[in-house]
Amino acid sequence: MATNYALVLFTFLALVSSQAFASDPSPLQDFCVADMKSELFVNGLVCKNPKDVKPDDFFFPGLDKAGDTSKNPGSNVTLVNVEKIAGFNTLGISLARIDFAPNGGLNPPHIHPRATEVLTVMEGTLYVGFVTSAPEFKLFSKVLNKGDVFVFPKGLIHFQFNIGAVPAVAFAGLSSQNPGLITVAKAVFGSNPPISDDVLAKAFQLDKKTVDWLQAQFSN
């Protein structure tokens, strides 16, 4: 009987623990404004004394301003995460403004390892999509117009591409105070130190000269 009780207790604790660590830390009080000056390293950020919290800890100005899209690949992401709004700490949210140059502005294939993303198009027309994991690698894609919303599940490769002749603007909500970003091409061909060109040539079925050229494009 004692063994069965211990097994049930262990199973319950395992389930609770898996839920507790499956996403951002949850608040145990009204808010936990991040103390950016603390040198203590924890999963998340240390809370500031509530007596020292000010309205500006929950504020960020400027998302009405367009980002510079003149450089390749023709997009600009203004991310507002916990580093910009300390009050995001433990709330499990962040947001971004994404500007796209006309005729092909691209937010290239990338991953947010810690967040689901919901995108709303404010201006323009975007072709967007995400690819599922193995073994299907299925593409789910859609053309979005002003007012349309699309969801990119956590951890899946996704992209946004301006197919219109005018600039496009979208806003994204992300389910983490620090969603993270892995741009696929940059991670593979621009890692530091670089991945062996033997590895990449075999993985992508390319000759090493082509791999070396690609690495040079993403080296900075």
Side-chain angles (χ1 to χ4, degrees):
M1 186 70 176
T3 302
N4 290 339
Y5 176 81
L7 180 60
V8 170
L9 179 61
F10 175 81
T11 303
F12 173 76
L13 290 174
L15 288 171
V16 170
S17 298
S18 67
Q19 292 298 314
F21 291 102
S23 59
D24 285 5
S26 297
L28 297 177
Q29 56 279 321
D30 288 344
F31 51 76
C32 171
V33 171
D35 183 356
M36 299 301 186
K37 296 180 181 179
S38 175
E39 296 182 357
L40 186 64
F41 187 82
V42 297
N43 183 31
L45 293 166
V46 175
C47 300
K48 182 188 290 189
N49 188 323
K51 295 180 181 179
D52 298 327
V53 172
K54 296 178 173 57
D56 280 350
D57 290 320
F58 303 93
F59 173 77
F60 177 85
L63 282 188
D64 59 319
K65 297 179 176 62
D68 180 11
T69 61
S70 61
K71 297 180 180 178
N72 191 46
S75 69
N76 189 296
V77 178
T78 305
L79 176 64
V80 184
N81 61 7
V82 71
E83 294 180 2
K84 302 291 181 62
I85 297 181
F88 274 161
N89 194 37
T90 76
L91 298 185
I93 57 170
S94 56
L95 73 156
R97 172 180 173 139
I98 313 168
D99 291 280
F100 300 85
N103 299 310
L106 172 68
N107 191 10
H110 61 280
I111 298 165
H112 300 298
R114 294 180 289 275
T116 292
E117 175 182 344
V118 55
L119 183 88
T120 303
V121 177
M122 306 304 293
E123 297 291 344
T125 303
L126 297 177
Y127 169 61
V128 307
F130 67 85
V131 179
T132 64
S133 56
E136 290 86 3
F137 299 113
K138 184 175 181 179
L139 171 65
F140 288 84
S141 63
K142 193 80 174 174
V143 173
L144 306 182
N145 295 296
K146 183 177 180 178
D148 291 342
V149 177
F150 199 82
V151 176
F152 305 99
K154 178 180 178 179
L156 297 185
I157 294 174
H158 59 284
F159 61 88
Q160 298 108 24
F161 184 61
N162 186 5
I163 59 174
V166 298
V169 182
F171 281 85
L174 299 120
S175 62
S176 172
Q177 68 183 43
N178 184 23
L181 173 67
I182 302 171
T183 304
V184 177
K186 177 67 175 177
V188 172
F189 294 105
S191 66
N192 183 25
I195 300 172
S196 166
D197 55 5
D198 290 314
V199 172
L200 296 180
K202 189 164 188 178
F204 288 92
Q205 301 180 39
L206 300 169
D207 60 82
K208 289 206 291 183
K209 185 176 181 180
T210 301
V211 169
D212 292 342
W213 181 84
L214 287 168
Q215 288 180 315
Q217 307 311 301
F218 293 96
S219 61
N220 297 322

